[in-house]
Amino acid sequence: MKLRRLAALALCGVMALSALPAGALAARREKMNADDMDIPAILEDTQAGGTVNVYHWWTAGGEKDAIESVVDGFKDVYGKIKAKSNAIPGGAGGAMVMKVKVLQQAGKSPETFQAHPGQEIEPYLNSDLLLSLDQVWEYADLSARALPGIETLCTASDGSKYIVPIGIHKTNVIFYNIHVFEKYGVAIPDHENITWDEFFSICDQLAAAMPDGEYPLDLGDRKGWPACQVFEDIMLGTDPQIYEDFINGNYSVEDVTAVLSTYARMMDYVAPDHSSRDWYEASGQVVAGTYAMQIMGAWMQPLLTSMGQVYGEDYGVFTFPGTDGWFGMCIDGFVVSNDSADVGSGVRWAYNVSTPEVQAAFSALKESISPYSDTPDDTYCALTLKFKNELTAEGTKVYPSFTHGTALPWSASTSLQTQIQEFATSTDHDAAYFANKIVNILKEAGVKGAWNLVD
Ligand code: GAL
């Protein structure tokens, strides 16, 4: 696995978390500083009481069971602390950022909440809202246990760690329904790393054979992010250098136009009402056979499992065209507020998600790759193990997702999601017009990164 980042998460247009009404300020609790806390003693105090409100966005089949198992299991370690699951639906974290902002302003910061490392958490740091988890990393030996590259991605711009990773998913995946291919006599390639030509040829064959009302592809982009994720996959699959330049803020209208032109071509095969469904509803329709394929991160696996689907029998995966040898990286983790009602319980939660016991149970249900090398391979189902082996293989290159918080600031990412969803739902898919709008978003957000993905 290879990922180099020159200067960590520099810069960027920062979302203002600070403009608080006076009343809200009064309601805020005192901020704790990790330097004044004996974190090992807190973690070892298994008799402590309290409450940990856990905010997350795992509401789809499979992922919901995975997080609920961690919430339920918390009492096995910290029996006197009440762990409460608070689900903020939406996926990808956009709704979470808004929810947390409101809670913080009301003086009700959650003890812990789900986040992606990287740019997504920088605005909280700029407003001094997170507790440093350096001591947790040290206590749980996470630097030694983390898979290569993960520690770097989890290190904030100030050099400290504020997040404990719980799972990893690959983003550049196409899921397909094997039975649909068989039904319409479309040959399934004997290799997963299909080329662009193969991809479009499959789309053509499916489109020709499928009756009205059925389509080769769906986006499920009622929330904008699935459309944006397709955009980032196409961008990497067009030219990794374009991706690197984009997240570094070296925007080029021509490059983005090229990416959107391919996107426009792909839209010929997508169900026209794609934006009326959430991603998991689209997945349900893939299982039902209405759509043959869905471009989605590997968190679609546990959803398919929850619907009784078996990898290799009912569904298969392709590597997104042009991205062979690349692993689109989406890391989920938990951060801890420094001003919640029970900061100690937040710290205990963050530590607990990293333990080998929780990692084994969670990774199996979420079908995610554990960020820690001591999670045994027999934890994983066949597909997750395949993805894990890809991630850790010599020579695999990693690219951080910008749809899922890591590579672009939210101020840019959320506007991007809106624009790309608009592009996808527009009738003429005018690549040059939307490329200009997209480049303007990066410009306005002042995106300036220092990622080095390509060499
Ligand atoms: C991502 C997250 C995944 C999955 C997905 C859809 O941001 O990293 O684990 O939850 O959203 O909800």
Side-chain angles (χ1 to χ4, degrees):
M1 166 161 79
K2 179 175 173 222
L3 181 126
R4 281 197 286 137
R5 202 166 42 153
L6 293 181
L9 304 155
L11 357 152
C12 54
V14 161
M15 187 174 71
L17 288 171
S18 48
L20 303 177
L25 272 176
R28 298 200 98 178
R29 294 194 179 83
E30 201 191 323
K31 288 180 180 173
M32 305 278 283
N33 186 328
D35 291 342
D36 304 330
M37 297 166 74
D38 183 348
I39 302 273
I42 290 173
L43 297 178
E44 281 163 20
D45 182 3
T46 53
Q47 294 310 304
T51 300
V52 56
N53 284 289
V54 180
Y55 279 72
H56 61 87
W57 62 81
W58 286 321
T59 54
E63 60 181 20
K64 180 175 183 298
D65 302 332
I67 186 63
E68 295 305 341
S69 82
V70 186
V71 173
D72 286 350
F74 190 72
K75 63 175 172 335
D76 300 341
V77 186
Y78 296 107
K80 295 184 177 153
I81 298 175
K82 203 171 162 94
K84 286 192 193 159
S85 168
N86 296 271
I88 309 297
M96 178 65 76
V97 171
M98 298 321 293
K99 180 72 188 180
V100 168
K101 189 172 165 182
V102 169
L103 289 169
Q104 285 168 333
Q105 292 188 350
K108 293 187 173 138
S109 299
E111 277 69 31
T112 183
F113 60 97
Q114 184 187 349
H116 300 115
Q119 295 290 356
E120 182 174 312
I121 64 170
E122 290 287 308
Y124 303 113
L125 299 181
N126 291 326
S127 304
D128 185 23
L129 290 166
L130 297 183
L131 193 79
S132 162
L133 299 176
D134 285 345
Q135 289 187 64
V136 175
W137 272 71
E138 211 171 296
Y139 181 83
D141 206 14
L142 300 191
S143 301
R145 291 175 54 211
L147 294 179
I150 299 302
E151 180 175 10
T152 310
L153 284 168
C154 291
T155 304
S157 56
D158 67 358
S160 282
K161 306 197 182 65
Y162 296 87
I163 190 162
V164 173
I166 185 169
I168 298 170
H169 286 293
K170 179 178 174 179
T171 56
N172 47 327
V173 186
I174 302 176
F175 288 83
Y176 63 88
N177 182 329
I178 292 175
H179 308 300
V180 172
F181 277 63
E182 286 172 351
K183 180 171 171 194
Y184 294 115
V186 177
I188 297 173
D190 62 1
H191 50 283
E192 288 178 351
N193 55 341
I194 53 169
T195 62
W196 279 108
D197 284 348
E198 286 172 311
F199 172 68
F200 281 120
S201 156
I202 287 169
C203 289
D204 280 334
Q205 294 172 61
L206 286 166
M210 294 175 92
D212 283 356
E214 294 184 10
Y215 296 87
L217 277 164
D218 194 49
L219 298 183
D221 59 327
R222 176 150 55 203
K223 313 274 184 312
W225 66 264
C228 191
Q229 194 186 309
V230 170
F231 173 71
E232 70 174 46
D233 283 338
I234 298 176
M235 184 178 278
L236 198 289
T238 303
D239 183 350
Q241 188 63 54
I242 296 182
Y243 196 96
E244 181 185 301
D245 289 345
F246 190 77
I247 58 179
N248 283 342
N250 299 325
Y251 24 77
S252 138
V253 174
E254 291 70 38
D255 287 349
V256 177
T257 305
V259 172
L260 289 180
S261 301
T262 303
Y263 204 146
R265 182 174 172 200
M266 202 192 74
M267 289 309 298
D268 287 346
Y269 306 100
V270 174
D273 59 347
H274 56 87
S275 63
S276 66
R277 283 174 290 283
D278 276 314
W279 71 272
Y280 47 86
E281 292 166 327
S283 311
Q285 291 302 315
V286 170
V287 170
T290 317
Y291 314 123
M293 301 185 281
Q294 186 173 359
I295 300 160
M296 192 38 68
W299 50 85
M300 186 164 148
Q301 290 172 231
L303 176 60
L304 293 176
T305 303
S306 76
M307 290 189 271
Q309 303 297 290
V310 176
Y311 169 63
E313 286 174 29
D314 301 304
Y315 75 94
V317 295
F318 297 129
T319 307
F320 193 85
T323 69
D324 190 28
W326 288 86
F327 188 102
M329 176 74 102
C330 178
I331 305 178
D332 290 304
F334 281 91
V335 296
V336 174
S337 302
N338 62 8
D339 63 346
S340 74
D342 193 345
V343 177
S345 293
V347 175
R348 293 184 186 101
W349 170 269
Y351 160 71
N352 190 55
V353 303
S354 75
T355 63
E357 296 73 26
V358 170
Q359 279 299 308
F362 178 82
S363 309
L365 286 171
K366 183 75 160 69
E367 301 188 32
S368 48
I369 301 167
S370 168
Y372 309 104
S373 53
D374 51 10
T375 305
D377 278 354
D378 64 10
T379 301
Y380 302 119
C381 61
L383 184 53
T384 307
L385 184 58
K386 193 178 87 70
F387 288 151
K388 185 212 156 178
N389 289 338
E390 277 176 32
L391 174 62
T392 53
E394 189 68 30
T396 297
K397 292 185 179 187
V398 168
Y399 67 101
S401 172
F402 55 78
T403 306
H404 300 274
T406 299
L408 284 181
W410 270 109
S411 50
S413 175
T414 43
S415 311
L416 256 187
Q417 293 178 15
T418 308
Q419 278 313 315
I420 290 165
Q421 186 198 38
E422 227 176 87
F423 165 80
T425 43
S426 64
T427 40
D428 56 351
H429 309 303
D430 185 337
Y433 172 75
F434 279 95
N436 271 296
K437 291 183 106 177
I438 286 169
V439 160
N440 275 335
I441 289 170
L442 295 203
K443 228 183 256 176
E444 271 167 32
V447 169
K448 198 93 201 87
W451 298 91
N452 182 357
L453 313 177
V454 176
D455 332 313

